[in-house]
């Protein structure tokens, strides 16, 4: 049982580090090219062929859109031509129209297979496949330039293949996009070396074939293309495309490179960056040319990745989720060149906040496995530019300040504008709820990411060089617990003075208050426990004194949290003091860190933290068994009190629940199908979307990178 | 009687040559900053002040827009705050809401005065004025750099003045725009040298005052700004603005520079250009700084222009039309730097075709008066890059080609992409109607523009150097009349082979067929007559033989057209052979050229062309008297058979009818009021819009430059 028969949903096909993608996949919906956009574009995409009088076209355009030439020609008698996405047979209804108006598009019985690296569509005699690079970015400081260039080329390769061996007539095949603003014919710019179209807005496509001649066309209306005696490449018209003929009795394959390019400085604020790929490419023509020249390598690599992925022992819905997640993650990535050095940024999806720390901490598992150097790049940028020192206070006594310490900003900027050093774009003073500071949480995140980075890479040098920073983090952690050593209980009680008279919040900002408040928050308390353990890990070889303090704090945390376990409820309430008795899933999030640090004794129910682990296990069993945190469809509900659920955190907690707590419930095909359906049926226009309301759709054309946590399901299997 | 009490319509405030504007003016409608856009943006613009609990804000925002922070915070209980654009008193309806939600915006009784160079708004204690440079661009090849810099600065200056002399409380004043993507605080980027906001998208504003401190703010919701204890400049939030305080008993004036900047190469295709202003400014910070430093000069010059304009003896509706037209014209202008030389482009409004020739010929009167060097710049680009040689054929015999000759392309590109040399983006082969070739018309246009340019500037050197070109134009004109000299009648009969088997069209492409077809078209025939006269003018000193041929052809034209006068109808039918008997106003367009060339004998009813002039006068009197070409409201109808009318051509023909044919009818305040109402009531969101359907609105947010023909009404008066 899976959702594999549902094939109508958008998928972003994204190169690495270019903040760009080519999106198609949902019926009666456009998509197309986007570069640095905070939405998914709604270009019409026409991919298909004409066989006699029948036109077969994949349904990735809006059939409701008016004929664009009406913008120029408004007449009393409307002369619209017909777009019928569903049925090509009912030509009787068109009897009153003249010959040309009988032309309609059809996509009956198309099929689709989304794999890890290949998204393949079949319609009649045509296959169309898009191959996406999904296997990391090498470290430019050590990687050979030839390889580096290939890995960061801002393009994806696609292939159209038409089998006309049984045909009696030549087939006319096409690939077109509309509207393209600032349209330029490649044939004109390259003296026919390349055939295709690019836009002054920074994207384009070029086609080549060994067995046929490819040509360009341009039209106001795709149907005009089929009705013209002599095909035109109308520059003014919004549609730009390529076409070619497949003779009867032949198979023809055409490679179509889909490329992106921004050559100028693309960031502002505190940082002037170009894209890293500008080191290798002067313009989009070079990108497209290079992509076509290297197509065999790109395609073969994708096929090899697909083969390995097919061996992973996870169900089809999980395969879909992982495949969709990785593509959406790369859609948000930007590899910059700043002062001739690489600078890595992941956008917060369509919100476009840069390097949001509470996303970074969840991207970690994928990133450490595929490009750990980027983790260090991001950690350094937080340590060097986006850290700050604060003082803290009790919420009820905002006028009395106590020592605080170092923490890190929520993000590093928004919409390609870097924020000033020491400040995020998200956090403001005096704000109740959303947009308040996340000082405690981001402090934890820095420590947790650092520990997992050191564990994964063995970069002892960096660890050694940053002992002072880690001990400062410890001090800052402790200062948020209690000003007096003897009163500490391992759990945060003081808010940063940066909040003004309001409270710190957590990454669960827009869920209910049970998860939003930081102080004595169960989710954050467990994360603080993991942070102390991570500090012990980071400090133990060079600073045993502080390492011991860290461990002691972890014990205090564990004890405090365990005591909060409510036997009557069968779980730990969301706020430890019991003011809020909600049941929440993310209580268990913190368990993943000792697991990834390979500290099994800390996760042993008979070990030093056995009581905590047992409580969390009971907590999780209860809330699943009692359906407190499950929707009716089997989808996970992060907080019993909210219909807002975030799939990235669900995938993460599913992994923890199964792998660490050995709970089978919640990791069945029913649960996975529910989550897959949220994406496929609930939000088919929003690839990788995180925030979902009771399985329902967000209205905007929106994407998000964090669902990459689903990579945890396969990260052992894909090596 | 005039429409001066109607003040709700959009006006574009545009620097010269920057393809940019700041648009406000219509109630419950946004506007804001646009740079290189094919639409008018719909940013909310908030300009006003808070007096106690009352907030007075000009109504240039959409009251229906949802609170932007909902994008981040979706909750079950909506927490929208209220925008009420009309009434601030009805707070009773808000009783259920909490204190902060009682805050509403009000703009009761605001007023507006649009002058030639100043657009002034008053609301309560506040004045806000935008001053627009409207007096031409100097020739950079001879102009001193200091002056040139000032004239092409991509900005406009505005001033907010608040009179709190009678107030008891300090007033909090604000200027904000939303959404601003890629928002950057000027204070951060300039170490507080400038205060304001700019966007990575290429626009911004900066404020300064001698008598108060200006600060920045940023918010999701404008009302939050008033409810916060400590004002924030929230980088993530879409609203960016400035605010300041006016103490009780004082008047405070704040200058706000509205600037634009694109530093990179902004064109593609056959031409790589930057904006000319990049020669003087490295970034938008320099633009804003310079604008504030030179504000006194800019404001005083605007006031002086307004003073002179106020002396022009035209009615208020014409003053409105001219003021609106000039601003919309400059919104479409682009002064580029290409290989260190200036290159001038006027976009075809929101269609963004570059240097559309059939617009250029109508911009001519304004351009020759205000920056004749640009006319030469454009003529040279057509002569050098956008001309071609064709062969011609009879429509009924497309397979037989005859010699044609030189002509010129419809345009030079679209959306900042220059088309390949010898080709426009608009014209394609084998097209019926719109988008076919305008070979005959653009040939006329080149000759007519050249003649008026030489007449205006006395540039005899250029005239002499181009004798061969002009005689080629003559040959090309004649070849389109008839292949055999003895069969010529001065009127076009052969279509360019570039059309394929279709017909050439005229600039009246989207009106009915009576004006669309070129062959034996009355409008074009009179224009050909004027072209022959212009060729005689251009050739007479150096090539008397061809000058005589030209004059002879003019006589043939005049005779043919006069013969077509239909006594029964009382006018000349739109197609000379009588196949189409429509009545059209643009028959008289051609008369303006001998008038501008100062050839009164050619316009004398007793002169060599007396018969033609008499016929055209009778034609015009008939169609006005019989209301054939008038709408019920008194507005002009270019063709009796179409409800589509173009105000630019109306203004031109009103001028010709009155000044050349001495017809008073059609030039009354009733007619002018009708046209003003088309803009103010019919299309208030579309400043300068040309194409209007029976006075009704175009649906898109759309603008156009050609209404600058209205300048003819004042071009004698404003020197």
């Amino acid at each position: 049982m899976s959702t594999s028969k549902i094939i109508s949903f958008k998928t972003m096909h994204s190169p690495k580090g270019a903040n760009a993608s080519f999106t198609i996949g949902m019926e009666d919906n456009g998509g197309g090219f986007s570069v640095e956009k905070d939405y998914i574009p709604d270009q019409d995409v026409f991919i298909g062929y004409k066989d006699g009088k029948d036109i077969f076209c994949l349904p990735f355009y809006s059939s409701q859109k008016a004929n664009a030439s009406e913008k120029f020609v408004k007449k009393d008698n409307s002369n619209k031509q017909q777009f019928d996405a569903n049925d090509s047979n009912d030509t009787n209804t068109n009897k009153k129209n003249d010959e040309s108006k009988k032309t309609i598009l059809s996509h009956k019985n198309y099929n689709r297979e989304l794999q890890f690296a290949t998204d393949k569509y079949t319609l009649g005699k045509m296959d169309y496949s898009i191959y996406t690079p999904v296997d990391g970015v090498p470290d430019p400081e050590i990687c050979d330039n030839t390889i580096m260039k290939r890995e960061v080329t801002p393009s994806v390769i696609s292939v159209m293949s038409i089998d006309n061996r049984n045909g009696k007539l030549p087939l006319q095949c096409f690939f077109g996009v509309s509207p393209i603003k600032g349209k330029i014919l490649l044939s004109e710019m390259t003296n026919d070396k390349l055939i295709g179209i690019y836009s002054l807005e920074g994207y384009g496509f070029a086609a080549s074939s060994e067995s046929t001649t490819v040509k360009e066309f341009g039209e106001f209306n795709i149907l005009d293309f089929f009705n013209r005696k002599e095909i035109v490449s109308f520059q003014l018209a919004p549609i730009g495309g390529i076409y070619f003929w497949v003779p009867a009795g032949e198979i023809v394959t055409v490679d179509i490179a889909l490329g992106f390019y921004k050559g100028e400085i693309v960031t502002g604020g505190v940082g002037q960056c170009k894209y890293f790929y500008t080191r290798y490419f002067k313009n989009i023509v070079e990108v497209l040319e290079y992509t076509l020249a290297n197509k065999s390598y790109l395609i073969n690599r994708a096929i090899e990745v697909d083969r390995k992925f097919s061996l992973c022992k996870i169900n089809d819905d999980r395969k879909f989720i992982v495949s969709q997640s990785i593509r959406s993650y790369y859609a948000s990535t930007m590899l910059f060149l700043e002062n001739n050095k690489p600078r890595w940024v992941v956008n917060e999806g369509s919100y476009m906040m840069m390097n949001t720390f509470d996303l970074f901490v969840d991207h970690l598992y994928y990133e450490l496995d595929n490009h750990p150097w980027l983790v260090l790049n991001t950690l350094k940028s937080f340590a060097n530019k986006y850290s700050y020192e604060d003082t803290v206070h009790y919420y009820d006594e905002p006028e009395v300040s106590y020592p605080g310490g170092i923490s890190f900003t929520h993000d590093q900027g928004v919409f390609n504008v870097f924020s000033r050093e020491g400040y995020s774009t998200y956090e403001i003073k005096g704000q109740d709820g959303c947009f308040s500071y996340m000082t405690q949480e981001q402090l934890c995140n820095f420590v947790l990411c650092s520990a997992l980075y050191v564990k994964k890479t063995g970069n002892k040098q960096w660890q050694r060089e940053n002992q002072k920073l880690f001990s400062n983090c410890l001090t800052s952690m402790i200062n948020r617990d209690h000003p007096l050593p003897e009163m500490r209980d391992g759990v945060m009680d003081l808010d940063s003075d940066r909040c003004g008279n309001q409270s710190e919040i957590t990454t669960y900002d827009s869920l209910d208050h049970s998860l939003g408040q930081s102080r004595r928050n169960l989710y954050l308390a467990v994360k603080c426990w993991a942070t102390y353990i991570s500090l012990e890990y980071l400090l133990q070889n060079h600073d045993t004194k502080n390492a011991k303090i860290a461990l002691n704090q972890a014990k205090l945390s564990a004890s405090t949290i365990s005591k909060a376990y409510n036997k009557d409820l069968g779980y730990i309430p969301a706020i430890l003091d019991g003011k809020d008795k909600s049941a929440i899933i993310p209580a268990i999030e913190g368990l993943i860190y000792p697991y990834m640090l390979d500290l099994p004794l800390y996760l042993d129910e008979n070990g030093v933290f056995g009581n905590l682990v047992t409580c969390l296990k009971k907590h999780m069993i209860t809330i699943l068994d009692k359906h407190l945190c499950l929707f009716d469809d089997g989808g996970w509900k992060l907080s019993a009190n909210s219909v807002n659920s975030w799939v990235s955190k669900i995938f993460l907690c599913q992994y923890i629940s199964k792998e660490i707590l050995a709970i089978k419930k919640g990791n069945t095909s029913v649960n996975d199908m529910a989550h897959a359906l949220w994406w496929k049926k609930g939000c088919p226009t929003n690839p990788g979307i995180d925030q979902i309301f009771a399985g329902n759709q967000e209205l905007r054309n929106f994407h998000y990178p964090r669902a990459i946590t689903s990579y945890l399901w396969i990260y052992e299997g894909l090596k």
Side-chain angles (χ1 to χ4, degrees), chain A:
Chain A
M1 190 173 62
S2 83
T3 68
S4 54
K5 284 191 178 165
I6 300 171
I7 58 171
S8 175
F9 53 85
K10 290 192 179 178
T11 295
M12 307 183 85
H13 304 90
S14 316
K16 292 172 280 193
N19 194 8
S21 65
F22 177 76
T23 302
I24 53 172
M26 186 174 165
E27 285 181 32
D28 200 25
N29 246 275
F33 293 91
S34 59
V35 191
E36 299 188 332
K37 291 278 179 285
D38 59 342
Y39 53 87
I40 293 167
D42 60 352
Q43 290 176 314
D44 287 330
V45 181
F46 304 105
I47 303 169
Y49 65 98
K50 186 180 181 189
D51 187 353
K53 287 196 170 180
D54 297 324
I55 301 168
F56 299 88
C57 183
L58 290 170
F60 307 133
Y61 53 86
S62 165
S63 59
Q64 287 164 355
K65 267 189 206 160
N67 180 341
S69 68
E70 286 191 4
K71 181 167 174 184
F72 288 78
V73 197
K74 186 169 172 180
K75 287 178 180 168
D76 295 335
N77 296 317
S78 167
N79 191 30
K80 277 181 203 166
Q81 287 177 293
Q82 188 159 345
F83 280 71
D84 185 332
N86 295 311
D87 196 341
S88 69
N89 292 327
D90 189 20
T91 44
N92 291 331
T93 59
N94 297 320
K95 268 183 183 169
K96 293 174 201 157
N97 299 334
D98 66 28
E99 193 61 26
S100 76
K101 286 179 213 153
K102 282 189 188 156
T103 315
I104 52 177
L105 305 180
S106 160
H107 64 85
K108 280 185 303 183
N109 304 322
Y110 84 100
N111 215 333
R112 176 182 187 182
E113 191 185 359
L114 178 69
Q115 295 185 77
F116 199 59
T118 309
D119 192 9
K120 181 177 180 180
Y121 300 85
T122 52
L123 172 65
K125 299 177 174 178
M126 177 186 77
D127 286 348
Y128 177 69
S129 297
I130 309 175
Y131 301 95
T132 327
V134 286
D135 49 357
V137 182
D139 183 350
E141 312 244 31
I142 57 173
C143 180
D144 177 83
N145 265 324
T146 319
I147 297 172
M148 195 68 204
K149 176 178 181 177
R150 194 180 65 200
E151 298 301 314
V152 299
T153 306
S155 68
V156 294
I157 184 77
S158 69
V159 176
M160 210 168 152
S161 177
I162 290 93
D163 183 347
N164 197 19
R165 281 176 301 182
N166 297 323
K168 302 256 162 63
L169 291 168
L171 303 178
Q172 186 184 19
C173 308
F174 55 92
F175 176 99
V177 176
S178 175
I180 301 176
K181 284 185 181 176
K183 201 173 66 169
I184 302 168
L185 302 184
L186 277 164
S187 60
E188 285 181 10
M189 299 309 289
T190 66
N191 284 322
D192 292 325
K193 207 167 157 192
L194 282 183
I195 301 298
I197 310 282
Y198 71 98
S199 160
L200 214 54
E201 296 191 334
Y203 61 85
F205 51 93
S208 70
S209 172
E210 282 160 20
S211 49
T212 190
T213 302
V214 181
K215 291 182 177 173
E216 295 148 356
F217 74 92
E219 287 289 359
F220 271 99
N221 184 316
I222 190 70
L223 300 181
D224 290 345
F225 167 66
F226 301 107
N227 295 325
R228 241 179 241 288
K229 281 174 195 153
E230 200 173 327
I231 287 170
V232 295
S233 51
F234 200 172
Q235 193 189 330
L236 181 64
I239 303 178
I242 54 99
Y243 71 100
F244 55 93
W245 289 90
V246 180
E250 292 188 18
I251 295 182
V252 163
T253 298
V254 171
D255 305 303
I256 306 175
L258 311 166
F260 310 90
Y261 193 86
K262 289 260 181 186
E264 67 276 13
I265 286 170
V266 292
T267 65
V270 190
Q272 305 285 307
C273 303
K274 294 185 170 196
Y275 281 102
F276 197 87
Y277 58 68
T278 59
R279 183 179 269 185
Y280 306 116
F281 302 99
K282 279 208 283 291
N283 50 49
I284 195 166
V285 173
E286 291 186 3
V287 169
L288 293 167
E289 201 168 16
Y290 177 88
T291 306
L292 289 174
N294 287 273
K295 50 134 183 159
S296 300
Y297 170 81
L298 295 166
I299 294 166
N300 289 334
R301 198 174 64 172
I303 291 168
E304 172 59 16
V305 170
D306 285 342
R307 191 191 59 77
K308 277 164 77 178
F309 185 54
S310 71
L311 304 176
C312 287
K313 286 177 186 153
I314 59 172
N315 63 44
D316 283 350
D317 282 323
R318 289 200 166 185
K319 282 186 179 170
F320 155 70
I321 287 169
V322 176
S323 301
Q324 188 82 332
S325 299
I326 294 187
R327 287 177 172 85
S328 299
Y329 165 81
Y330 278 116
S332 284
T333 60
M334 302 194 274
L335 181 56
F336 288 135
L337 198 56
E338 186 184 33
N339 301 324
N340 216 27
K341 292 275 184 192
R343 181 170 184 174
W344 178 251
V345 169
V346 182
N347 271 337
E348 188 172 339
S350 318
Y351 294 130
M352 293 187 78
M353 276 175 282
M354 299 196 284
N355 283 341
T356 302
F357 212 147
D358 39 312
L359 267 67
F360 175 42
V361 71
D362 290 332
H363 300 161
L364 202 60
Y365 314 105
Y366 180 77
E367 293 192 339
L368 284 177
D369 229 32
N370 289 281
H371 30 52
W373 72 272
L374 296 177
V375 174
L376 183 61
N377 188 282
T378 307
L379 283 171
K380 282 182 176 172
S381 68
F382 275 106
N384 298 336
K385 293 188 177 173
Y386 292 101
S387 62
Y388 59 90
E389 299 268 343
D390 69 351
T391 50
V392 298
H393 65 271
Y394 282 100
Y395 180 68
D396 299 331
E397 262 190 325
E399 64 285 358
V400 185
S401 284
Y402 299 92
I406 192 169
S407 187
F408 304 85
T409 60
H410 169 274
D411 59 74
Q412 305 185 344
V414 66
F415 219 108
N416 284 19
V417 175
F418 289 104
S419 52
R420 65 192 161 127
E421 297 193 1
Y423 287 89
S424 72
T425 64
Y426 176 97
E427 294 154 312
I428 52 169
K429 192 175 178 177
Q431 182 78 16
D432 182 22
C434 252
F435 312 126
S436 183
Y437 274 84
M438 297 190 191
T439 309
Q440 173 67 73
E441 170 137 23
Q442 309 305 4
L443 171 59
C444 293
N445 287 340
F446 183 81
V447 173
L448 296 166
C449 291
S450 297
L452 264 60
Y453 167 76
V454 169
K455 172 69 187 170
K456 182 77 179 188
T457 62
N459 189 342
K460 299 288 179 191
Q461 187 187 339
W462 184 77
Q463 181 188 8
R464 199 166 50 242
E465 287 168 2
N466 286 280
Q467 288 294 303
K468 181 72 191 149
L469 175 59
F470 300 137
S471 68
N472 287 343
C473 289
L474 177 62
T475 306
S476 184
M477 287 289 296
I478 291 172
N479 283 344
R480 286 159 219 281
D481 177 350
H482 199 286
L484 301 175
E486 60 275 22
M487 299 293 285
R488 287 173 191 148
D489 66 356
V491 172
M492 171 201 170
D493 271 307
L494 291 98
D495 286 296
S496 175
D497 284 346
R498 282 205 171 191
C499 297
N501 59 354
Q502 298 292 345
S503 299
E504 281 185 38
I505 57 170
T506 76
T507 187
Y508 294 96
D509 50 5
S510 62
L511 271 71
D512 60 324
H513 264 305
S514 68
L515 276 166
Q517 171 193 319
S518 294
R519 288 187 314 279
R520 305 204 78 72
N521 175 308
L522 170 60
Y523 149 74
L524 200 54
V526 180
K527 215 163 161 179
C528 284
W529 166 76
T531 303
Y532 287 121
I533 289 173
S534 299
L535 283 165
E536 187 207 14
Y537 174 85
L538 289 165
L539 292 164
Q540 61 193 353
N541 294 330
H542 304 281
D543 186 351
T544 47
K545 184 181 154 221
N546 274 319
K548 274 185 193 164
I549 293 173
L551 178 61
N552 190 51
Q553 281 290 122
K555 287 176 185 169
L556 290 172
S557 304
S559 165
T560 306
I561 299 163
S562 306
K563 274 183 215 153
Y565 180 79
N566 182 318
K567 279 184 189 161
D568 297 336
L569 296 172
Y571 62 83
I572 312 173
I575 304 296
L576 294 179
D577 58 17
K579 273 186 199 159
D580 185 317
K581 292 198 165 59
S582 306
I584 60 165
I585 286 173
I588 63 172
E589 257 193 66
L591 292 172
I592 197 168
Y593 302 101
Y595 181 79
M596 289 290 169
L597 291 173
D598 200 15
L599 300 168
L601 293 178
Y602 285 3
L603 291 167
D604 189 329
E605 289 193 56
N606 300 311
V608 59
F609 300 117
N611 208 7
L612 173 66
V613 176
T614 303
C615 285
L616 287 171
K617 186 164 182 173
K618 285 195 278 184
H619 170 101
M620 197 61 201
I621 289 170
T622 301
I623 63 178
L624 288 175
D625 275 353
K626 290 193 177 172
H627 272 72
L628 296 174
C629 290
L630 286 173
F631 289 98
D632 290 343
D633 62 2
W636 285 31
K637 199 173 181 183
L638 289 177
S639 163
N641 282 347
S642 180
V643 295
N644 183 355
S645 214
W646 294 347
V647 292
S648 64
K649 292 296 196 179
I650 290 173
F651 304 151
L652 175 62
C653 291
Q654 278 188 303
Y655 179 80
I656 296 165
S657 178
K658 185 180 171 205
E659 299 296 326
I660 304 176
L661 298 176
I663 298 169
K664 283 186 185 163
K665 182 148 189 166
N667 269 287
T668 70
S669 62
V670 172
N671 308 99
D672 296 332
M673 197 171 82
H675 301 141
L677 277 175
W678 289 1
W679 272 2
K680 287 188 172 182
K681 284 283 187 189
C683 316
T685 62
N686 301 0
I689 188 76
D690 206 23
Q691 181 162 277
I692 297 175
F693 299 88
N696 282 326
Q697 181 146 16
E698 285 262 349
L699 291 176
R700 287 154 292 119
N701 250 346
F702 188 78
H703 63 92
Y704 211 75
R706 187 158 60 172
I708 191 78
T709 51
S710 61
Y711 178 77
L712 283 166
W713 296 332
I714 59 161
Y715 95 119
E716 293 297 334
L718 204 72
K719 279 172 191 165

